[in-house]
Amino acid sequence: MPKLKTLKPMVRTIKGMIAMPKRDQHRDAAQPWRAWYKTARWQKLRMQVLIRDRFTCKMEGCGKVDIDTSQLVADHREPHRGDARLFWDAKNLQCLCKPCHDSLKQKQEIAGRSNGKGGHDGL
């Protein structure tokens, strides 16, 4: 049976995982449009895009199908950078699997940013 004193460090660890990291708080404050991702309107639009794209990653060469929507991202084809018109435009959204979004798409956008062409929109 573990001693009760071992529970206190575990509670601190769990509490830290639940709280929003300060970096995210600063980023949200500096980019107010990030709050759009937390709205019911965004959740509805995201689901419409995932359904429209048949839960299939649109990254060239991937095509992964995943019904677990937590593993899919409604990605902005053209980074919106706070432009509400681009953010809410369903034609500017595509379904990507998380691995493609979190690696390949990010590399493409970083390369585009260095050429003055693009940049990531945040999520």
Side-chain angles (χ1 to χ4, degrees):
M1 182 79 135
K3 294 182 180 180
L4 195 54
K5 67 181 181 181
T6 62
L7 186 59
K8 194 171 185 176
M10 289 175 62
V11 170
R12 254 188 256 130
T13 303
I14 292 169
K15 190 176 178 182
M17 291 188 308
I18 295 170
M20 183 185 289
K22 288 185 181 191
R23 187 191 86 193
D24 288 345
Q25 289 174 342
H26 174 71
R27 191 169 59 177
D28 286 354
Q31 299 168 327
W33 52 263
R34 292 182 59 81
W36 296 343
Y37 287 107
K38 297 175 179 102
T39 64
R41 180 180 176 193
W42 168 254
Q43 292 304 317
K44 182 178 177 184
L45 178 60
R46 175 183 178 273
M47 187 54 68
Q48 288 172 347
V49 169
L50 300 184
I51 291 168
R52 178 198 70 200
D53 291 351
R54 298 188 173 128
F55 305 96
T56 304
C57 180
K58 296 301 182 184
M59 181 63 71
E60 187 176 329
C62 182
K64 179 181 178 182
V65 177
D66 198 334
I67 59 168
D68 179 359
T69 60
S70 71
Q71 298 303 307
L72 299 172
V73 177
D75 171 69
H76 290 92
R77 291 180 174 133
E78 180 181 342
H80 62 81
R81 294 187 193 88
D83 179 337
R85 182 186 56 80
L86 286 174
F87 185 91
W88 297 110
D89 183 3
K91 292 181 222 135
N92 188 38
L93 292 167
Q94 64 183 343
C95 177
L96 293 182
C97 66
K98 282 191 70 55
C100 285
H101 179 266
D102 295 350
S103 62
L104 298 173
K105 179 74 190 271
Q106 301 306 312
K107 288 177 186 173
Q108 289 175 354
E109 290 183 352
I110 288 168
R113 189 179 320 146
S114 67
N115 294 333
K117 293 180 187 172
H120 189 254
D121 59 18
L123 292 176

